[in-house]
Amino acid sequence: VQNLSTLPALSVRLSDEFRAVRQFFGLYQYWTMFAPHPEMTSPWPVITGQLVDGTIVDVYNRRIGAPTTDRPEVVSAVYANGRWRKVLSQLEDESYRNGPQPLARTYARYLCRSWDAQGQPDRRLSTFVISFEVEWSQPPGFPKKRVTNTVWRHDCFG
């Protein structure tokens, strides 16, 4: 009954008492991982920054030089772990909504602090742009579609 109640087409409504017991025991599961369709995009972050001396850097990979926009061989390997994949996935999803983007602002501040924590005063991060290269899945026989989704522009001193 619990699983059926997560399917919108059935319109099954659980009683408040049943829901309270379910929550207490941690039995609530939402079965939309592959429904109504599997994930249609494969996004990977590309964060282009500029240091105070004007040097262009790859903020995400913490390297000097412009980041590549090439598709990684394994997109999931770009993320440090499942938690970072989830955070950055939420960040990319948030960018499609109108209005404030608190996650993007918070992540941008984190990037400023963590870059500068490397302890090189002459290599401080000044500005950067958080973008995602997004590859959309297509039906068999059609080429994959790819777009750049710019999420956030940030000034570390602003």
Side-chain angles (χ1 to χ4, degrees), residues 16-155:
D16 290 339
E17 294 81 13
F18 183 90
R19 290 189 353 226
V21 169
R22 170 196 71 188
Q23 292 299 105
F24 178 79
F25 287 108
L27 299 175
Y28 178 72
Q29 296 180 12
Y30 197 66
W31 295 93
T32 60
M33 181 183 238
F34 302 107
H37 52 75
E39 183 66 42
M40 299 300 289
T41 63
S42 294
W44 62 94
V46 176
I47 305 176
T48 306
Q50 185 172 1
L51 303 181
V52 292
D53 68 1
T55 303
I56 301 299
V57 295
D58 178 348
V59 178
Y60 186 73
N61 294 300
R62 299 180 185 278
R63 292 192 294 238
I64 302 298
T68 180
T69 59
D70 295 343
R71 184 188 195 283
E73 189 173 326
V74 178
V75 173
S76 62
V78 168
Y79 303 100
N81 56 45
R83 291 178 188 230
W84 274 113
R85 185 200 54 76
K86 182 66 173 174
V87 167
L88 292 168
S89 175
Q90 291 288 103
L91 180 83
E92 196 258 338
D93 289 347
E94 185 179 86
S95 72
Y96 293 102
R97 294 186 221 121
N98 292 328
Q101 296 182 13
L103 182 57
R105 184 180 311 107
T106 302
Y107 182 62
R109 290 175 181 156
Y110 161 78
L111 290 174
C112 290
R113 284 190 315 272
S114 64
W115 182 279
D116 290 346
Q118 297 176 56
Q120 299 178 24
D122 59 330
R123 293 286 183 175
R124 292 190 67 202
L125 186 59
S126 176
T127 61
F128 58 89
V129 176
I130 301 171
S131 299
F132 284 85
E133 291 296 312
V134 182
E135 188 174 83
W136 287 81
S137 298
Q138 299 293 316
F142 289 87
K144 292 189 176 189
K145 181 173 74 171
R146 190 163 133 192
V147 298
T148 300
N149 178 14
T150 299
V151 175
W152 192 261
R153 298 175 192 280
H154 193 75
D155 180 348

